[in-house]
Amino acid sequence: MNPVRSVAGGAYPWGAKNVDTDVIIPAHWLKTITRAGLGRGAFETVRAQPGNIFDDPAYAGSPILIAGDNFGCGSSREHAAWALADMGVRAVIAPSFSDIFSGNAFKNGIVAVVLPQPAVDRLIAVAREQPITIDLETMTVTTPFQDRFVFELDAFRRQCLMEGLDEVGLTLARDTAISKFEHEVADHRPWLQRESGYAGIAVEGAGRT
């Protein structure tokens, strides 16, 4: 995934509470085998309402979504994070998140920023006309009006986001250590080496009682 050091730009000033994953991406979109295109189904039921915020040209393509308490509750579908990423959302600001959604967002390069309700209310007001900046270096959310809100983020998740490391990337980053361990195992436990596959085990065990 791409490194995320900051997310800046417009924000959807939504603020809705208890938004579950079925609202983020309805179940009938889960039949797809690819992440591409899921953005079209994001917030489908909300978009069915006239004058909804997600189809407002003023916020089109915004990389930030400002939501209410308990965002991402409900089922554990990772498609919710996929849909947000596909529609261009790189960060969500809310007073709280479902633990599972927060984990899925992190794995897909989406920053989940937790701020108290008064700060969220202020950002919603600002976002109606002005951009917002989320900086992972300083762990702050700022506005053109000199608002500055400090947030916390797990140190490991912050590092992974800033370096663009997903689970595959983390494994590859440890390639040297993994190779060293494999060589040490081969030196100290040569009987674990299966030069002939499972047949080798069968031969080695033959004649035992």
Side-chain angles (χ1 to χ4, degrees):
M1 69 186 183
N2 295 323
V4 182
R5 295 186 176 275
S6 67
V7 182
Y12 296 99
W14 196 24
K17 298 181 179 181
N18 300 313
V19 176
D20 64 34
T21 51
D22 194 52
V23 172
I24 299 173
I25 184 72
H28 65 87
W29 283 87
L30 308 189
K31 299 175 183 178
T32 180
I33 58 174
T34 177
R35 305 181 188 189
L38 283 176
R40 296 195 305 272
F43 304 107
E44 185 177 66
T45 56
V46 179
R47 282 175 158 159
Q49 304 170 15
N52 73 84
I53 197 170
F54 295 107
D55 289 329
D56 188 330
Y59 308 114
S62 293
I64 302 170
L65 170 63
I66 306 175
D69 199 33
N70 197 29
F71 185 82
C73 57
S75 72
S76 61
R77 65 187 66 164
E78 191 174 4
H79 296 69
W82 296 351
L84 287 172
D86 194 59
M87 69 178 285
V89 171
R90 295 293 174 263
V92 181
I93 301 172
S96 67
F97 295 87
S98 157
D99 287 342
I100 294 176
F101 172 82
S102 181
N104 287 337
F106 154 66
K107 292 177 182 177
N108 287 277
I110 297 174
V111 185
V113 177
V114 176
L115 288 175
Q117 189 65 55
V120 171
D121 292 340
R122 170 59 179 166
L123 291 172
I124 288 175
V126 172
R128 293 192 176 104
E129 295 183 356
Q130 298 292 333
I132 289 172
T133 299
I134 300 170
D135 192 329
L136 269 68
E137 292 276 5
T138 60
M139 301 286 280
T140 59
V141 180
T142 57
T143 75
F145 300 109
Q146 306 306 310
D147 297 293
R148 185 177 186 274
F149 303 108
V150 178
F151 64 93
E152 296 182 358
L153 193 64
D154 176 82
F156 172 73
R157 289 187 174 184
R158 176 172 176 262
Q159 178 186 359
C160 289
L161 287 167
M162 293 181 67
E163 295 182 10
L165 295 174
D166 55 14
E167 291 172 331
V168 174
L170 282 169
T171 302
L172 292 176
R174 291 170 171 78
D175 178 64
T176 300
I178 293 172
S179 296
K180 179 181 178 182
F181 174 77
E182 290 177 339
H183 287 305
E184 288 176 349
V185 169
D187 290 341
H188 294 91
R189 300 177 182 176
W191 61 87
L192 294 179
Q193 301 304 301
R194 302 178 178 179
E195 297 180 355
S196 301
Y198 287 100
I201 295 177
V203 171
E204 180 180 307
R208 291 184 181 177
T209 57

